[in-house]
Amino acid sequence: KAPCATPKQAEEILRSPICCIMGHVDAGKTKLLDFVRGTNVQEGEAGFITQQIGATYFPAENIRERTKELKADAKLKVPGLLVIDTSSHESFTNLRSRGSGLCDIAILVVDIMEGLKPQTIESLNLLKMRNTKFIVVLNKVDRLYGWKMCRNAPIVKALKQQSKDVQNQFNMKLIQIITQFKEQGFNTELYYKNKEMGEIFSIVPTSAVSGEGIPDLLLLLVQWTQKTMVEKLTFSNEVQVCFVLLSCLGTYLHHKEIKAAQGIKITAQGLEHAIAGTGLYVVGPDDDVEDVKEAAMEDMKSVMNRIDKT
Ligand code: GDP
């Protein structure tokens, strides 16, 4: 139902891409999000990251500031990035399958010391099923023996400052992991060597402790989504898709207007019965409430069926 925008308008009014984080337990998903959020978690101010329920919003100004050292002159066309934290809350079992469909792009976190693990492969299968594009984060580079910390440095700069021995360790681990991905049917390559993005999945080495590679990750997420998903990201004034991320009680902030994509808290009676992973239906002036109720119940049943099966 999206109103048609001319190609020019479409480029100018993109919505924020939605990104989800997946990977094996202990790969560093939580730590990575914590690091990217930093300490300046303040609500609502321009340039500040907003931590929402089950989601974190990174405004474009913040991303621009943090990626300065990469000297990317590419314009940021998206207003920001919405990262859904599906790893740490109750809803993940329901959202695991839906989340990968709901997201425009996924981050698949792999521990460089451990390589691919069962849950990494499970995540890969979900991503393949939904045809969701993803970026591989090769986390914990600081655990390579002898790693010299370069806080928040772009990864190429950080790697250059390492000894030959550390660089060799890094290359060996990288080759092993690229081979493991190949065994699963995926071609992967370091992002700055990747000439066929889309066909070959990009790898960004990071440390969630000292921040090496984090600027690269933020920039790649934004650049890739705004380059390849313009149509999908075209802003529309109509409600498109809403999902319940988490049902809980909490303080609330009043919003006059919500622009996609955002995580919001809704306060209403009976919401304790809401189930994470189900859709949120909006009754428009021309809709029949009973029809919408029926659609919502169908959705609820399908999620309940899935829960029963797992
Ligand atoms: P999750 O289960 O994927 O969310 O993993 P966590 O974020 O909880 O991380 C698991 C453990 O690895 C924690 O003890 C983290 O402190 C540690 N960790 C995560 N990322 C890094 C990293 O980049 N470097 C190092 N040295 N430790 C990390």
Side-chain angles (χ1 to χ4, degrees):
K1 280 205 247 175
C4 291
T6 63
K8 177 140 188 19
Q9 274 177 319
E11 272 194 34
E12 281 160 8
I13 36 175
L14 299 185
R15 67 164 170 81
S16 305
I18 305 174
C19 170
C20 63
I21 299 204
M22 306 176 93
H24 194 78
V25 65
D26 280 350
K29 300 179 290 293
T30 314
K31 188 93 181 161
L32 199 73
L33 257 188
D34 279 350
F35 188 92
V36 179
R37 264 195 294 261
T39 44
N40 281 333
V41 180
Q42 285 188 20
E43 297 248 349
E45 283 178 56
F48 282 101
I49 294 158
T50 326
Q51 187 173 0
Q52 301 159 338
I53 200 109
T56 304
Y57 186 69
F58 300 98
E61 301 97 284
N62 182 282
I63 297 174
R64 199 172 294 123
E65 181 62 31
R66 300 177 73 168
T67 54
K68 260 199 318 220
E69 225 187 307
L70 284 168
K71 299 205 169 43
D73 30 339
K75 250 178 55 188
L76 296 188
K77 293 179 200 150
V78 291
L81 190 67
L82 184 73
V83 180
I84 297 184
D85 181 6
T86 42
S87 59
S88 60
H89 58 72
E90 40 126 313
S91 60
F92 195 43
T93 16
N94 306 335
L95 274 176
R96 234 196 254 265
S97 62
R98 285 218 168 179
S100 49
L102 166 72
C103 288
D104 301 304
I105 191 163
I107 299 174
L108 182 62
V109 186
V110 174
D111 181 335
I112 191 168
M113 307 306 278
E114 302 283 336
L116 269 62
K117 304 276 269 188
Q119 275 172 278
T120 330
I121 293 166
E122 185 195 306
S123 304
L124 271 175
N125 288 334
L126 280 171
L127 293 166
K128 196 194 283 182
M129 200 170 77
R130 297 267 180 179
N131 200 18
T132 306
K133 299 292 181 206
F134 60 90
I135 292 171
V136 178
V137 161
L138 207 50
N139 193 35
K140 306 198 188 181
V141 288
D142 62 286
R143 290 197 50 211
L144 293 169
Y145 189 73
W147 180 267
K148 235 189 278 160
M149 277 197 191
C150 313
R151 243 185 127 65
N152 292 314
I155 195 66
V156 174
K157 182 176 170 190
L159 283 169
K160 267 192 195 141
Q161 312 212 348
Q162 306 304 320
S163 65
K164 270 274 161 297
D165 177 52
V166 173
Q167 288 177 358
N168 287 342
Q169 286 179 58
F170 173 80
N171 288 331
M172 265 172 55
K173 297 275 183 205
L174 180 70
I175 290 167
Q176 278 170 6
I177 289 168
I178 288 179
T179 309
Q180 290 178 333
F181 271 109
K182 205 160 258 168
E183 283 164 7
Q184 298 300 320
F186 292 91
N187 287 323
T188 52
E189 179 58 287
L190 273 178
Y191 89 94
Y192 48 89
K193 291 188 178 166
N194 188 354
K195 301 270 185 291
E196 288 178 68
M197 264 168 63
E199 297 298 312
I200 300 175
F201 291 89
S202 286
I203 298 177
V204 183
T206 62
S207 164
V209 167
S210 38
E212 292 90 339
I214 301 289
D216 313 63
L217 175 63
L218 287 172
L219 194 65
L220 188 64
L221 278 170
V222 169
Q223 284 187 340
W224 195 21
T225 47
Q226 71 186 17
K227 192 170 160 202
T228 61
M229 300 175 189
V230 171
E231 207 172 304
K232 210 172 169 189
L233 297 180
T234 299
F235 186 74
S236 135
N237 280 326
E238 293 193 26
V239 173
Q240 298 273 303
V241 192
C242 302
F243 278 99
V244 177
L245 277 176
L246 186 74
S247 52
C248 72
L249 293 174
T251 52
Y252 71 95
L253 206 91
H254 187 74
H255 297 274
K256 284 207 185 73
E257 185 185 51
I258 288 295
K259 279 201 172 170
Q262 292 273 335
I264 52 166
K265 292 177 195 172
I266 297 179
T267 314
Q269 272 179 0
L271 284 190
E272 65 275 19
H273 303 300
I275 295 177
T278 52
L280 186 112
Y281 290 74
V282 176
V283 185
D286 301 328
D287 294 329
D288 182 334
V289 179
E290 290 308 315
D291 288 349
V292 178
K293 262 193 207 167
E294 206 173 298
M297 286 315 289
E298 280 303 311
D299 186 32
M300 183 85 110
K301 270 189 225 153
S302 84
V303 171
M304 294 298 282
N305 273 342
R306 203 176 304 130
I307 294 173
D308 285 346
K309 278 188 202 143
T310 49

